[in-house]
Every structure is written in structure tokens, then in C-alpha cells.
Amino acid sequence: AQSVTQPDIHITVSEGASLELRCNYSYGATPYLFWYVQSPGQGLQLLLKYFSGDTLVQGIKGFEAEFKRSQSSFNLRKPSVHWSDAAEYFCAVGNTGGFKTIFGAGTRLFVKA
Amino acid sequence: EPEVTQTPSHQVTQMGQEVILRCVPISNHLYFYWYRQILGQKVEFLVSFYNNEISEKSEIFDDQFSVERPDGSNFTLKIRSTKLEDSAMYFCASLLSGGTGEFFGPGTRLTVL
């Protein structure tokens, strides 16, 4: 069965510092992979997605993610974090059969001045 | 840009009452979904709907839940007799086809008293 693991429940970084959020997935075939961001009390905003092709994917708000098949990982990165990036980040894998999305437990990002 | 809309944004109900959550998916999309997020927890798949029938449902989606696409535009989730533990944010999503990624609505926060 598909699953997504986000090993870090929360992460704190200083504004201007780089960020990497970890994500590992379990899936039998080439997965569809996503990163979503959720501000408190808000909906889900798609940051970026990977379906095939170039393993380095660019997203909105300066985020990027790299698909590494050998490590079953899809880590999210940003070179310089802004205070407005503080939110919950969810990694997710898409099911190519029923196309439903399986979400990880999320990583809450705190940004300190 | 097309978007998924949901109404109401917040619904408060008494335990045992029926509630209907409404969604308007993106007009040319073919697959429709409901997800649930209990406060502080991850987003969980409830049900997927395609070609006017349920294509997959999770174990959460028991006999108290039903979905319907009553016309060409709306997609509804009904909870027949709400329980306290149904309090959550409910997200609707729609998808054109595999390989494109789901579009999520802003969510309906359901509070059961």
C-alpha cells in the first residue's frame, strides 16, 4: 500500500536560512508526488508536483523538490526562508489507479527572526 | 484560474443532525473526491467518485456518509447522523485525468456539538 513519511513533526529555521523538509514514500510504481502548504485554518495550496521527467521540480514561492528514486524521497527545499513561509507542509503521493492522494502527517515550519 | 469552491465555509450542528456539505468542482473535471482533516492531524481520503458512482472509499466512509452529484455542477457529501468525532475540516477535490493532480477546495469546517 502507498504511504508517505515525513520524519520531522516540526522544524525551526531562521529567516534567510535555507530549508529542507524531508519526505519518503512507499509506492510500487513511479509515483505522482506533491507538496502542499497549509496556513492555520486555511485550505491546501499546491506548491509543486512531480509526474515524470526532470527529477528537480520547481514550484511556487521559490520552492523546489528533488525526486530520488533510489532513496524513495522527495525532499522540499528553499534557499532562503521568509517569515511568511511559516505553515504546515504536507508531502503526498498520488495513486495512479483511483488517483486519490495519500498525505503524510505534515511538518510544521516555524521561522524565527 | 478555475477553482473548486465549497459551501459553507463553516457549519455548526448538533450531534445526531444531518449535514450536507457542498462543492462545485472545476467544470470539465471528471473525478471528484472528499477528504477529511481532523484538527492537528493529517488529511485523510474519504471517497472518490467517477462516472456517477463511487470508485473507492476508505474505512472512514461508513453507512453514515453518502455522496451525490445531483446535477452537472455540484458534488455533495452528506453525513446522516453526525457524531462528535465528525468534527473536522472537509476538503473537496476534483481532477481532470490521471497525471494532472487534484485541485482542492478551501474546505468546510464542520463542528459537531
Side-chain angles (χ1 to χ4, degrees):
Chain A
Q2 306 93 338
S3 66
V4 178
T5 301
Q6 294 180 247
D8 303 304
I9 296 172
H10 55 81
I11 281 183
T12 301
V13 299
S14 298
E15 191 170 18
S18 64
L19 170 70
E20 182 168 29
L21 302 183
R22 297 184 291 163
C23 173
N24 293 96
Y25 67 89
S26 172
Y27 189 72
T30 299
Y32 296 166
L33 294 163
F34 310 88
W35 275 100
Y36 289 89
V37 61
Q38 183 181 38
S39 297
Q42 301 299 308
L44 297 163
Q45 182 179 26
L46 179 65
L47 285 175
L48 47 77
K49 59 190 177 187
Y50 170 79
F51 291 147
S52 64
D54 194 346
T55 57
L56 185 62
V57 180
Q58 301 298 319
I60 62 172
K61 304 185 179 187
F63 286 92
E64 67 177 26
E66 186 171 12
F67 170 59
K68 293 186 177 180
R69 184 190 302 276
S70 61
Q71 298 176 21
S72 296
S73 69
F74 188 58
N75 294 347
L76 181 72
R77 300 193 294 249
K78 186 170 184 178
S80 178
V81 167
H82 187 262
W83 63 267
S84 61
D85 294 323
E88 186 96 22
Y89 291 80
F90 292 96
C91 180
V93 62
N95 176 315
T96 56
F99 309 120
K100 71 180 181 185
T101 303
I102 305 296
F103 287 82
T107 297
R108 178 163 294 280
L109 173 65
F110 297 95
V111 180
K112 60 183 182 181
Chain B
E1 184 175 323
E3 59 183 20
V4 176
T5 60
Q6 292 185 242
T7 54
S9 57
H10 192 186
Q11 171 100 42
V12 181
T13 189
Q14 295 291 323
M15 188 170 55
Q17 294 297 304
E18 174 184 286
V19 295
I20 297 176
L21 309 183
R22 304 181 190 280
C23 168
V24 179
I26 294 172
S27 62
N28 62 337
H29 283 192
L30 302 175
Y31 300 82
F32 313 105
Y33 308 82
W34 284 101
Y35 292 81
R36 180 181 81 175
Q37 184 184 31
I38 294 172
L39 186 64
Q41 299 186 23
K42 68 178 180 182
V43 180
E44 302 172 288
F45 167 77
L46 289 179
V47 65
S48 58
F49 191 87
Y50 171 71
N51 201 25
N52 287 317
E53 61 183 22
I54 290 174
S55 50
E56 187 175 357
K57 60 183 180 180
S58 72
E59 58 190 27
I60 302 168
F61 194 88
D62 61 22
D63 292 344
Q64 293 299 311
F65 291 88
S66 62
V67 290
E68 195 176 37
R69 189 158 161 79
D71 52 40
S73 59
N74 291 284
F75 180 52
T76 61
L77 174 69
K78 181 193 290 187
I79 308 175
R80 188 167 23 249
S81 178
T82 50
K83 302 188 281 284
L84 295 176
E85 54 264 38
D86 293 327
S87 295
M89 181 79 94
Y90 288 82
F91 293 104
C92 173
S94 70
L95 174 72
L96 176 59
S97 63
T100 58
E102 294 169 54
F103 286 74
F104 282 83
T108 293
R109 179 165 298 285
L110 176 65
T111 302
V112 182
L113 302 176

